[in-house]
Amino acid sequence: MLAINKDMYIGAILRVNQGLAPILMESGMHCLGCPSSQMETLEEACYVHGINVDFLTDKLNTYLAEVSGE
């Protein structure tokens, strides 16, 4: 299983698993389709949106572990 980290670009995260999009949106990132999201890291996006990057990273990785059965 590929783990999500704060240095990954938002576009790359969405390519890992489309099920991560709702988690990002629920966290306050509503512009996942905008061009800047392709060149913005998770850490940068969290900073801009006032989101705790460690909390969100854990949430994304928990989802991936659940869907992969780990």
Side-chain angles (χ1 to χ4, degrees):
M1 175 186 82
L2 178 66
I4 303 300
N5 67 66
K6 66 183 180 179
D7 297 319
M8 292 178 75
Y9 292 107
I10 299 297
I13 292 171
L14 294 173
R15 286 189 294 276
V16 169
N17 185 304
Q18 288 294 313
L20 297 172
I23 298 169
L24 292 168
M25 292 183 72
E26 290 167 5
S27 298
M29 294 183 193
H30 299 114
C31 55
L32 298 179
C34 70
S36 65
S37 74
Q38 299 301 310
M39 299 172 57
E40 186 172 53
T41 66
L42 181 61
E43 184 172 37
E44 293 166 337
C46 284
Y47 176 78
V48 168
H49 293 284
I51 301 165
N52 180 304
V53 68
D54 294 321
F55 176 79
L56 183 54
T57 302
D58 288 344
K59 194 170 184 178
L60 294 169
N61 284 316
T62 297
Y63 170 83
L64 288 176
E66 289 173 356
V67 298
S68 71
E70 294 180 14

